[in-house]
Amino acid sequence: MDKNSKLKKIIYGSVTIILLASLTIAFCVLSAKIGKTNFIIDDIFINFSNKIRANWLTITFKIVTNLVNPLFIGLVGFVILLSFKKQRSNAVALFVNIAIIVCLNYLLKSFFVRFRPDQSIGLILESGYSYPSGHSSAAVAFFGFLVYMVFCTNLKKWAKICISILLSFIVLLIGYSRIYLGVHYATDVIGAYLYSLAFLIVFCFIVSRLKKGTKLEQQNEYKKHSVLAGFKYAFSGIITAFKTETNLLIQLCAGLLMIVFGVTLKISPVEWCICIIMCFLVIVLELINTAIENICDKVNPQTDPKIKTIKDVSAGAVLLISICSVVVALIIFIPKLQMLFV
C-alpha cells in the first residue's frame, strides 16, 4: 500500500469516526431532553403541515410512508436475493439490518415512552410510543443499505451518485410523511435519523470487514476434538451451508422478515414461540437435507435411481415443513395485516 492510499485510508477513517461520534452525541443530547422540554421545531413542522394539507398530498404521503412497509421491504429484498447472484450476501445483510433496527427501535420506544401527537388531528391511526420514529429509522436502514449496495456494484460513479441522491430523498420524504400525517413530532424523526445512521455506518463497516475476512479453514480430523472444537465445527458447517445453499439463504431471510412483521404487528409471546419454532424447524431440516445430499454425492457421484429417491424424499420433508410454516404464518399474520395500512 503506497503513501497516498494510506493517507486516504486514515482520512476516511477519521472522518467516519468523527461522524459516528457526532451522530451518537447528538442523539444522546436530543434524547436527554425528550419529555422535559417543548421543541420549537416540533410546533413549526406541525403548523406548516396543517396549513399545506390537501387531498392529493395526503394520498401521496400515505403511499410514501408505506415504502418501509414490511411487505414492500420483503418484496424488494427477495427480488435482490433471487435476481442478483453477486448481491446475495448483501441481500441477506439487508434483512439482518432491518430486523436489528426494528427490534432496536422497539426497545428505544419502550425506554423513552414519549406519547404521540394529538391523534384527533392525525390523518392515520398509530399505536405505541412516538420517539424515535420507527418508519424513519427503518427508512435509513433500508434505503441507506441500498446505497451501500449500489456502491458495491460496477456502475459508473455518476450513476451511483444519482441513485444515492434519489434514495436519500426518499428517506427524507418518508420522515416528513410521518409529521404530515400527524403521528410523529419532527424531533421523533430527527432522533430516528441520528441513531439509525450511526447504526448503519457501523453495520456497513462490519459487513465490509466480513467480506474481506479470511475463509474458514477446513478441518480434516473430526474423530477426536474437545467440546469447544465441536462447537467450532458445528458453526463452520452452518456457515458453509449458508454460503453454498440458496434455499437456506431464502429461509433465513424469511425468518428475519418474520421478526420484522412480529415486532411491527405486536404478536403475542405464544405466537412468537410458534413462529420461532417453525423457522428453526425449516432451517434445521434444510441443513439435514444438505448433509444427506452431500453424503449421497460422495457415496455415488453417478446417477443412481436409489440415490435420487433418497434425495427426493429428503427434499420432500423440507417442502412439507416449509408449507406448514407458511400456513402457520398466514394464520398468525393475516388478521393483523390491516394494521399496516390503517
Side-chain angles (χ1 to χ4, degrees):
M1 186 182 292
D2 56 27
K3 291 183 178 180
N4 289 334
S5 298
K6 288 183 178 179
L7 182 60
K8 286 182 179 179
K9 190 174 181 180
I10 292 172
I11 293 174
Y12 289 150
S14 300
V15 171
T16 302
I17 292 173
I18 292 172
L19 177 60
L20 185 60
S22 300
L23 291 169
T24 304
I25 293 171
F27 175 72
C28 292
V29 171
L30 177 62
S31 301
K33 295 181 179 180
I34 292 296
K36 298 178 181 179
T37 183
N38 293 323
F39 296 91
I40 297 177
I41 191 172
D42 289 338
D43 295 330
I44 292 174
F45 271 91
I46 289 175
N47 293 332
F48 173 75
S49 299
N50 290 337
K51 288 180 180 179
I52 66 169
R53 279 183 176 178
N55 288 335
W56 69 272
L57 270 178
T58 301
I59 295 172
T60 300
F61 281 122
K62 282 184 177 180
I63 295 173
V64 168
T65 203
N66 275 301
L67 291 178
V68 285
N69 187 301
L71 292 173
F72 178 78
I73 290 175
L75 177 62
V76 174
F78 280 113
V79 167
I80 295 172
L81 179 65
L82 299 174
S83 303
F84 302 96
K85 188 175 181 180
K86 293 183 179 179
Q87 292 285 352
R88 280 180 181 171
S89 60
N90 282 334
V92 175
L94 177 64
F95 281 99
V96 174
N97 183 30
I98 291 297
I100 293 174
I101 205 72
V102 167
C103 294
L104 183 58
N105 190 264
Y106 178 79
L107 293 175
L108 289 172
K109 282 178 179 287
S110 300
F111 179 78
F112 290 110
V113 191
R114 186 188 198 185
F115 293 100
R116 294 182 183 274
D118 185 2
Q119 293 289 284
S120 63
I121 61 172
L123 298 177
I124 59 175
L125 295 176
E126 286 284 4
S127 60
Y129 298 118
S130 186
Y131 181 84
S133 167
H135 281 68
S136 301
S137 59
V140 173
F142 180 65
F143 292 101
F145 196 78
L146 288 183
V147 170
Y148 168 81
M149 292 174 66
V150 167
F151 276 89
C152 291
T153 64
N154 295 322
L155 291 173
K156 293 182 179 180
K157 189 174 181 179
W158 66 267
K160 293 180 180 179
I161 294 174
C162 290
I163 295 173
S164 300
I165 292 174
L166 175 62
L167 293 175
S168 300
F169 182 67
I170 292 174
V171 172
L172 293 175
L173 281 180
I174 292 172
Y176 179 69
S177 72
R178 307 306 290 169
I179 303 171
Y180 176 90
L181 295 172
V183 292
H184 278 293
Y185 297 103
T187 44
D188 296 337
V189 174
I190 294 171
Y193 283 162
L194 292 173
Y195 95 83
S196 54
L197 185 55
F199 171 81
L200 181 66
I201 292 172
V202 175
F203 186 81
C204 290
F205 173 77
I206 293 173
V207 170
S208 62
R209 294 298 296 178
L210 288 175
K211 287 183 180 179
K212 295 178 182 178
T214 56
K215 295 182 179 180
L216 293 171
E217 297 180 358
Q218 294 182 347
Q219 303 291 334
N220 296 320
E221 183 60 51
Y222 286 87
K223 292 183 179 180
K224 295 181 180 179
H225 55 72
S226 64
V227 175
L228 291 178
F231 280 107
K232 177 183 177 181
Y233 298 145
F235 282 115
S236 175
I238 293 171
I239 293 171
T240 302
F242 276 112
K243 285 183 176 180
T244 57
E245 296 294 326
T246 303
N247 287 343
L248 271 172
L249 292 179
I250 294 173
Q251 289 154 3
L252 174 63
C253 292
L256 293 169
L257 189 62
M258 180 276 296
I259 293 175
V260 175
F261 271 105
V263 175
T264 304
L265 299 177
K266 299 178 178 62
I267 61 177
S268 68
V270 173
E271 291 170 332
W272 270 114
C273 291
I274 294 172
C275 289
I276 291 171
I277 290 172
M278 294 306 301
C279 285
F280 272 91
L281 278 176
V282 173
I283 292 174
V284 168
L285 274 181
E286 185 63 50
L287 287 171
I288 294 172
N289 177 53
T290 301
I292 291 173
E293 288 183 347
N294 287 332
I295 291 173
C296 290
D297 292 338
K298 183 68 176 178
V299 171
N300 189 355
Q302 305 300 322
T303 302
D304 187 311
K306 291 185 178 180
I307 294 294
K308 180 180 182 300
T309 300
I310 294 172
K311 288 184 176 181
D312 290 346
V313 171
S314 177
V318 177
L319 177 62
L320 286 176
I321 194 65
S322 299
I323 293 173
C324 179
S325 65
V326 170
V327 172
V328 170
L330 292 175
I331 292 172
I332 292 174
F333 289 116
I334 283 181
K336 304 175 187 292
L337 282 179
Q338 60 177 349
M339 293 173 57
L340 296 176
F341 303 99
V342 174

